[in-house]
Amino acid sequence: MKCRRRYMAKTKTEKVQREIERLEREKAKPKRSGYLVYFIIIVSIVCIADELATQIGLQMQNVVASQLFAPIVGEEYAVARMSIVATIAGCTVGIASLYRTLADHFGRKIFLVFNTLGFGIGLFLIGICTNIPVYAAGVIIIQFFIPHDMQQVYIQECAPAKYRATLTNSIGGIASLSVMLIPILRNLFLKGNDLSQWRMVYMVPAVVALAVAIFALFFVRESDAFVESRLRYLRMTDEERKAEKKEHNKQENGVGLIAAIRFCFSHKQIRWAFVAGGFISFAQLVCYNYETILTFGYAKQFLDNGATMEVARTNAIGFVTQALLLFAIGSAIMAFISGVLADHVGRKPAVIAMCATNLAAFLIFFFGANQAWNPYIVGLFCGISVGSYWNGASLITLMCAESCPTNVRVSVAAVQPVVNGMIYMIASTSLTVLSNIMGDTAIGKICFIVSVPGMVLGLILLLVKVKETNGADLCAVRGDEYEKNAQ
């Protein structure tokens, strides 16, 4: 038995030494001149693939509903029934969080590649599907890999502190502009009232995602913050680790979901940021259903003239495609504005501004679609509404990252969508139930009625319970500074 223990200890020591040597080689790699620019280009490409995978299902919502679901459940409830698949896919968030925490042990790079490869495979499945089960499988795979946003972690850990929000949201803005590819593909493959080639709209981003995954594998280097943090941990003796565990911040030495959960719920700053973000996430109802809101807004003019639901929905497709061309520009504008605003006036004021813009722009594009306004104007405000929410939400995620140490940063980021998702389920379930009762045409009104109370409550909690994090040093933060500042 003693021999076996000695053998296991020796094996463990050898594994640790090999990992140290590997990380030292990674650390010793020279950074090329202009590395920051090179880094931004690579991460931007990954962000583009991620954004296309995120938005394509939302911008093709009614098309897929009419082609796959309407023949089975009818035109009036096609989107409502399809929302059940999205709700089921959302249940993967818990399993996905367990997977995401591994990045605090094995590094950021390998999961950046896996995630990009994963949503590429999901898009490919939808691109070849001919029935609801295969479509559902593709949606579930995409939903599993999309939330991890490992590229955001790269930016947060590699960007200069004073430009962190600007750089994060500027790259997000570039990715938002790339979403223009989706309406261009709609124009290319959905000609007139013929929607039979809708799968090709999915195949193009699928190929892009798979290519980007291979590209990232060979051209992205590991995060410096992770390398430094991991080396520090590996070089500690058992005695040093035991001594550290007696300190208040013993969570810094652990990685994984359990350590992250313990850290999150023992630190008021992160705990309240999670809860506030969860209620603000009620606005995701608009972000997940804007294409349906646009479609039935423009369909109203045809329904009022006596057209059937099927004819009205099909006739509205062209207006929606035009609107989506400027959607990307509206979304990108808010990405650039929110980042600069957050670095100059603070994270919290920027979140408040984004939420207010989200609601105001929603009312404009909802009313405009129902009154058959110029689709380019309507699409611009639709993009502003959706972009405002996502960039405001990304600032809350950034605040959480700026409030925790490197060793648990990805694990904490994995806990956040679980907490947010549990709270968001109140809004999601409300929409699913009400839309299946009232029909697809009521989805826009339901989204607004459910979103507003949640956002207001979330903003109040953010203002009262969460401390500002602008300018935090991610390499030095230990997680308890904000509690000390509050005392």
Side-chain angles (χ1 to χ4, degrees):
M1 182 64 70
K2 290 182 179 180
C3 292
R4 182 179 179 184
R5 283 199 295 267
R6 283 197 298 269
Y7 173 76
M8 292 178 66
K10 181 180 179 181
T11 302
K12 182 178 180 180
T13 302
E14 290 174 349
K15 288 176 64 177
V16 169
Q17 187 58 40
R18 285 197 298 269
E19 185 174 358
I20 289 175
E21 292 173 357
R22 179 181 64 81
L23 291 173
E24 284 289 1
R25 289 194 299 271
E26 183 73 22
K27 181 180 177 181
K29 289 180 180 178
K31 288 186 177 179
R32 303 174 185 176
S33 177
Y35 173 75
L36 184 60
V37 176
Y38 167 78
F39 163 79
I40 291 172
I41 292 173
I42 294 177
V43 176
S44 295
I45 296 172
V46 176
C47 285
I48 287 171
D50 181 281
E51 191 68 17
L52 289 174
T54 301
Q55 293 293 334
I56 190 168
L58 308 178
Q59 297 201 0
M60 292 289 288
Q61 193 174 57
N62 257 274
V63 175
V64 176
S66 66
Q67 296 298 293
L68 282 183
F69 287 81
I72 299 174
V73 302
E75 290 286 345
E76 294 185 358
Y77 295 92
V79 176
R81 299 295 190 268
M82 191 167 69
S83 68
I84 297 174
V85 174
T87 301
I88 295 172
C91 295
T92 63
V93 67
I95 302 173
S97 296
L98 292 172
Y99 158 82
R100 184 175 187 176
T101 59
L102 296 175
D104 276 331
H105 183 84
F106 295 105
R108 316 319 195 198
K109 177 178 177 177
I110 189 64
F111 291 95
L112 180 75
V113 175
F114 279 167
N115 296 345
T116 310
L117 185 65
F119 52 71
I121 293 172
L123 289 170
F124 181 78
L125 282 177
I126 298 176
I128 63 172
C129 77
T130 57
N131 53 59
I132 293 176
V134 176
Y135 167 80
V139 171
I140 291 171
I141 291 173
I142 293 172
Q143 187 62 42
F144 179 88
F145 286 104
I146 282 294
H148 304 299
D149 287 337
M150 195 58 61
Q151 67 276 9
Q152 297 294 335
V153 177
Y154 261 98
I155 300 168
Q156 292 162 9
E157 293 186 347
C158 298
K162 65 179 180 178
Y163 299 122
R164 189 176 296 129
T166 299
L167 192 56
T168 299
N169 285 25
S170 294
I171 291 176
I174 294 171
S176 296
L177 285 174
S178 71
V179 176
M180 291 183 69
L181 177 64
I182 300 172
I184 290 173
L185 292 173
R186 284 175 56 124
N187 265 328
L188 182 63
F189 295 111
L190 308 182
K191 297 184 181 298
N193 294 333
D194 181 14
L195 307 181
S196 60
Q197 297 298 312
W198 67 269
R199 294 172 183 83
M200 289 301 299
V201 181
Y202 279 86
M203 290 301 291
V204 174
V207 173
V208 170
L210 294 172
V212 168
I214 298 173
F215 185 82
L217 178 63
F218 292 102
F219 295 101
V220 174
R221 60 181 289 161
E222 186 57 81
S223 157
D224 290 340
F226 170 79
V227 171
E228 292 286 352
S229 177
R230 186 64 180 164
L231 282 172
R232 173 184 173 274
Y233 175 71
L234 292 172
R235 284 170 174 158
M236 292 173 64
T237 65
D238 291 339
E239 290 73 20
E240 288 173 333
R241 291 172 186 171
K242 289 178 181 178
E244 285 277 338
K245 288 182 179 179
K246 295 179 182 180
E247 296 181 0
H248 176 70
N249 292 301
K250 64 184 180 180
Q251 292 91 342
E252 285 192 24
N253 298 316
V255 296
L257 190 60
I258 294 177
I261 291 174
R262 187 168 62 245
F263 182 87
C264 295
F265 288 96
S266 63
H267 288 72
K268 294 180 181 179
Q269 169 78 359
I270 298 177
R271 181 170 69 242
W272 283 111
F274 280 8
V275 175
F279 283 106
I280 291 174
S281 73
F282 278 28
Q284 287 184 36
L285 293 180
V286 175
C287 299
Y288 289 149
N289 294 279
Y290 63 84
E291 194 260 359
T292 293
I293 296 171
L294 289 172
T295 297
F296 285 101
Y298 281 107
K300 183 176 181 294
Q301 58 185 307
F302 301 106
L303 292 172
D304 290 345
N305 289 327
T308 65
M309 178 64 72
E310 181 179 3
V311 172
R313 187 200 297 260
T314 302
N315 288 340
I317 294 288
F319 290 94
V320 175
T321 299
Q322 293 177 38
L324 293 178
L325 284 169
L326 287 194
F327 170 91
I329 294 177
S331 185
I333 289 172
M334 300 316 300
F336 290 114
I337 291 175
S338 63
V340 175
L341 192 65
D343 277 334
H344 284 78
V345 303
R347 304 338 188 191
K348 290 166 64 175
V351 172
I352 295 170
M354 291 300 101
C355 288
T357 304
N358 168 263
L359 292 178
F362 169 79
L363 290 175
I364 293 174
F365 92 77
F366 175 77
F367 179 80
N370 279 272
Q371 296 300 311
W373 287 3
N374 184 297
Y376 296 109
I377 296 176
V378 173
L380 180 66
F381 279 98
C382 181
I384 290 173
S385 178
V386 174
S388 297
Y389 168 75
W390 285 123
N391 288 286
S394 74
L395 292 177
I396 298 176
T397 300
L398 179 60
M399 292 178 73
C400 293
E402 292 175 333
S403 302
C404 64
T406 301
N407 270 20
V408 294
R409 188 164 295 129
V410 175
S411 297
V412 168
V415 177
Q416 185 181 7
V418 176
V419 178
N420 287 177
M422 292 173 64
I423 299 174
Y424 173 70
M425 283 299 292
I426 300 171
S428 178
T429 302
S430 299
L431 175 65
T432 299
V433 172
L434 292 174
S435 64
N436 275 279
I437 294 172
M438 301 171 65
D440 292 352
T441 55
I443 286 178
K445 296 176 182 177
I446 297 170
C447 286
F448 183 76
I449 292 171
V450 176
S451 294
V452 173
M455 290 188 70
V456 172
L457 177 57
L459 288 175
I460 292 173
L461 292 175
L462 186 74
L463 280 172
V464 175
K465 297 291 187 178
V466 183
K467 302 298 178 182
E468 183 60 69
T469 64
N470 194 8
D473 183 352
L474 294 191
C475 293
V477 68
R478 291 176 61 85
D480 56 352
E481 288 87 348
Y482 301 101
E483 278 71 25
K484 291 177 182 178
N485 292 337
Q487 293 175 354

